[in-house]
Amino acid sequence: MKISLATGLSVVVISSILVGCQNSEPDGASTEKEVNSAESQTDFSEQEQEHDHDHDHEHSHGHDEKTEIYDGFFDDSQVSNRSLSDWEGDWQSVYPYLQDGTLDEVFEYKAELDDSKTTEEIKGYYDKGYKTNVERIIIQGEKVTFYKGETEYSGQYINDGYEILTYEAGNRGVRYIFKLVGESDGLPQFIQFSDHSISPNESDHFHLYWGDDRTALLEEVTNWPTYYSSELDGHDIAHEMIEH
């Protein structure tokens, strides 16, 4: 990974075969460089696979500025910092809905769009991406609470800037980073949000990366726990993914 610093902003260039988010096809979940930041993760994280999530999207939307930004095409000047309030709320992991079959219609839909992959192959890719044992996250002000089974972990997180990630395919993504104040057992030192926005905006879902090594965490590209509002049921989430 090559990192260059300019005016306080890190632009990270990652060599990878890029894949899409919810509505793009898993054309390549592997990266040219084997990445494993599991050793730096805290005890409640599940670092099974690493995700290539800030990636190349193929959407049917018009090519307006908002869509281009979502697809990862923007100028540095368009990027601005965001506060934790953009992700405030009660969020649930989508992984249980993959496990119980609720999201099967999403993978079947994707397979119809790309006959080079079976529904099972696509589901397997997202199984690696969504996998986590943190079923719920609540964000209130600077307080972030992670729920793992019957155990909850809470800590204060403050803004630590953002990183622009540039991929070989030419598209880019932004990770918004927050760091833990002090130390707390079971909590990661850093959390990084990716939701395809590059300026202050209330998020409707997000992908979260967490760990103790800020730089190594940026190389996390195949495991991307994904969270939607806890007010939605699994079918609501599936329909949003298809319409997305």
Side-chain angles (χ1 to χ4, degrees):
M1 181 176 71
K2 183 172 100 177
I3 302 177
S4 61
L5 302 177
T7 62
L9 169 66
S10 297
V11 179
V12 181
V13 181
I14 294 181
S15 296
S16 63
I17 301 173
L18 302 177
V19 299
C21 174
Q22 272 315 127
N23 228 15
S24 59
E25 309 311 322
D27 289 338
S30 62
T31 59
E32 289 184 359
K33 178 181 179 182
E34 191 77 24
V35 177
N36 185 359
S37 57
E39 292 80 6
S40 68
Q41 297 295 317
T42 59
D43 60 356
F44 74 86
S45 67
E46 288 230 339
Q47 276 304 323
E48 297 79 8
Q49 314 288 337
E50 304 177 60
H51 166 60
D52 174 344
H53 189 81
D54 314 79
H55 38 245
D56 181 23
H57 294 294
E58 296 178 7
H59 296 286
S60 59
H61 309 48
H63 291 288
D64 56 17
E65 181 177 321
K66 183 176 180 181
T67 299
E68 288 188 356
I69 289 173
Y70 189 99
D71 289 348
F73 297 97
F74 51 83
D75 296 326
D76 287 0
S77 61
Q78 295 176 274
V79 181
S80 55
N81 215 342
R82 298 169 68 182
S83 68
L84 198 55
S85 62
D86 277 7
W87 298 277
E88 187 157 332
D90 189 329
W91 305 92
Q92 61 177 319
S93 166
V94 302
Y95 188 55
Y97 296 124
L98 180 147
Q99 292 179 299
D100 68 14
T102 302
L103 300 184
D104 283 356
E105 62 179 300
V106 178
F107 310 129
E108 291 166 0
Y109 173 74
K110 291 178 179 294
E112 291 176 0
L113 297 179
D114 183 358
D115 58 12
S116 70
K117 300 172 184 65
T118 67
T119 300
E120 291 72 23
E121 288 172 332
I122 293 172
K123 183 174 182 177
Y125 167 73
Y126 282 98
D127 183 84
K128 294 176 182 178
Y130 291 154
K131 195 169 187 178
T132 183
N133 58 7
V134 178
E135 302 96 348
R136 183 185 179 200
I137 296 174
I138 293 180
I139 300 172
Q140 298 173 307
E142 293 183 336
K143 180 182 178 182
V144 179
T145 303
F146 300 83
Y147 292 82
K148 175 188 173 185
E150 299 300 318
T151 306
E152 62 182 77
Y153 306 81
S154 293
Q156 179 186 4
Y157 284 86
I158 58 174
N159 197 299
D160 196 40
Y162 59 86
E163 306 278 359
I164 297 176
L165 281 64
T166 299
Y167 300 97
E168 283 188 337
N171 62 323
R172 307 196 295 169
V174 180
R175 297 270 188 95
Y176 288 93
I177 304 171
F178 298 84
K179 63 181 178 180
L180 181 67
V181 175
E183 295 184 4
S184 180
D185 290 342
L187 285 174
Q189 289 297 308
F190 296 94
I191 55 177
Q192 300 183 357
F193 292 85
S194 174
D195 63 1
H196 319 290
S197 293
I198 62 172
S199 59
N201 181 58
E202 186 175 333
S203 186
D204 57 11
H205 79 280
F206 60 86
H207 316 283
L208 191 65
Y209 307 77
W210 55 76
D212 294 334
D213 187 322
R214 189 185 191 277
T215 300
L217 194 57
L218 294 171
E219 299 183 36
E220 179 67 81
V221 291
T222 61
N223 177 234
W224 21 278
T226 299
Y227 295 86
Y228 277 75
S229 170
S230 293
E231 295 180 354
L232 302 176
D233 63 26
H235 295 291
D236 292 333
I237 292 173
H239 293 158
E240 286 202 12
M241 289 178 173
I242 290 173
E243 294 172 2
H244 190 49

